[in-house]
Amino acid sequence: MPGDRSLLGDADRDRLVAVLREHYATGRMELGEFDRRAGIVLAASYADEAATAFDGLPPMAAPGPAAAPARPRSRKRHAQVSEPQPGWVPTAERFRDPSSNTIMRVWTDPADGSRHYVPDNDPV
C-alpha cells in the first residue's frame, strides 16, 4: 500500500537474516531455501519487501523470562511505542486510541509475530 513503506537499513537486514538463520538452525528450511530467503531480505529496499521472506514460517518463540532483560515499567498500554523498531513491518491497520485520541498504525515484528502500535503521522 503506498505510504506504508519504510526503508530498510543495513542493520535491519542483518537482524532479519539473523532471524532466518534461527529458522535454518531449528531445521525449518534447507540451506538452499535459507539462501533464497536471505537473498530476498538482502535485496529488499523496504520492510514490506523483506517480510515476504518470512512467508510460511512460524513466529520465533520469544526468549524465556530467564533470558529476557529486565524492562522498566511503562505507563503505555499494550505494545504502544513512540516509533517503529528496525525490521518491523507496517500494516494497513490503523485505529484511533480512545485514551489519547491519536491515530495509531499497527506494525508487526516478523521475528516473533508481535504487534506494536505506533502514532501515525501520515495524513489520512
Side-chain angles (χ1 to χ4, degrees), residues 22-41:
E22 289 295 317
H23 282 288
Y24 172 71
T26 58
R28 291 192 181 107
M29 67 182 87
E30 299 293 324
L31 181 59
E33 181 67 8
F34 167 79
D35 288 341
R36 183 186 73 78
R37 290 176 185 255
I40 291 170
V41 170

Side-chain angles (χ1 to χ4, degrees), residues 4-54:
D4 283 354
R5 306 188 90 191
S6 63
L7 286 171
L8 284 179
D10 290 339
D12 302 326
R13 287 185 199 85
D14 290 345
R15 179 175 172 267
L16 293 173
V17 169
V19 172
L20 288 173
R21 254 189 236 112
E22 289 295 317
H23 282 288
Y24 172 71
T26 58
R28 291 192 181 107
M29 67 182 87
E30 299 293 324
L31 181 59
E33 181 67 8
F34 167 79
D35 288 341
R36 183 186 73 78
R37 290 176 185 255
I40 291 170
V41 170
L42 295 173
S45 296
Y46 296 94
D48 61 337
E49 295 169 348
T52 63
F54 294 88

